[in-house]
Amino acid sequence: MTPITDALLAELDNEAATTRRVLERLPEDKFDWKPHPKSYSLGELGLHTAQVPGALSNLLTPDSVEPPTFQQGSARSRAELLAALDQSMADAREFIKGLTPERAETIWKMTSQGHDIIAAPRMALVRALVFNHWYHHRGQLLVYLRLLDEPVPSVYGPTADENPFG
C-alpha cells in the first residue's frame, strides 16, 4: 500500500465509526418518517448512508460505466443498517487497498450513448463520491434526528445532546 491509501483507509475507519454512532441513534419506529414529501424516509436515507462508500467504490472499480439504474431501498431495522454498513466498509476497504498510484490517476468515465457525463481522475472521485457524498448524507441524518427530537451524537465536536470533551 501507499501513504495515500493508508491515509484513506484511516479516514474510512474513523468515519465508519462515526457513521455507526449516527445509525445506532435512528429510531426504528420512525423509519417511514419523512421531513418533506420530496425527501427520503429515515429508513431510506439511513440505508443509503450505510451503503454509499461500498456502492460507490464498486462503481469506481471499472474504468468506465454507464449510468446505473438506482432504486433506493429502505431499512426495516437498525441491525439491517449496521450489517449494510459493515458490508459497505468491507467493499470500500478492498477498493482502496487496490488503489495504486497509477490507478488513482487513471481517468474514470461515466458515459451515456457514447458521450462522457463524468471524466475525472479516479482519486478525485474517491474524495468527491466515496467520502464527501457519504458525509453529506450523514449530515442529513443528523438533521432528521434533530427534527425527530432524538439525541444528536457528536460527529466532529459537541452537539446540544453530547459533548465528547467533558
Side-chain angles (χ1 to χ4, degrees), residues 13-106:
D13 290 344
N14 182 63
E15 299 297 334
T18 301
T19 301
R20 180 174 295 279
R21 282 197 315 275
V22 173
L23 295 175
E24 287 171 344
R25 298 280 175 98
L26 303 184
E28 288 180 311
D29 64 332
K30 296 180 180 160
F31 276 13
D32 291 332
W33 178 85
K34 293 180 174 188
H36 187 276
K38 293 181 180 179
S39 299
Y40 276 165
S41 70
L42 180 64
E44 290 168 334
L45 183 58
L47 187 59
H48 184 68
T49 303
Q51 294 173 329
V52 160
L56 292 174
S57 291
N58 291 333
L59 187 72
L60 293 172
T61 297
D63 289 336
S64 181
V65 298
E66 292 281 321
T69 303
F70 181 75
Q71 180 66 35
Q72 182 56 57
S74 182
R76 293 174 301 283
S77 69
R78 193 173 301 110
E80 182 182 351
L81 287 175
L82 298 177
L85 179 65
D86 290 342
Q87 182 60 58
S88 182
M89 290 305 100
D91 290 348
R93 285 185 66 74
E94 195 64 29
F95 168 74
I96 291 169
K97 284 180 184 178
L99 201 58
T100 63
E102 297 79 24
R103 218 164 136 60
E105 293 171 13
T106 299

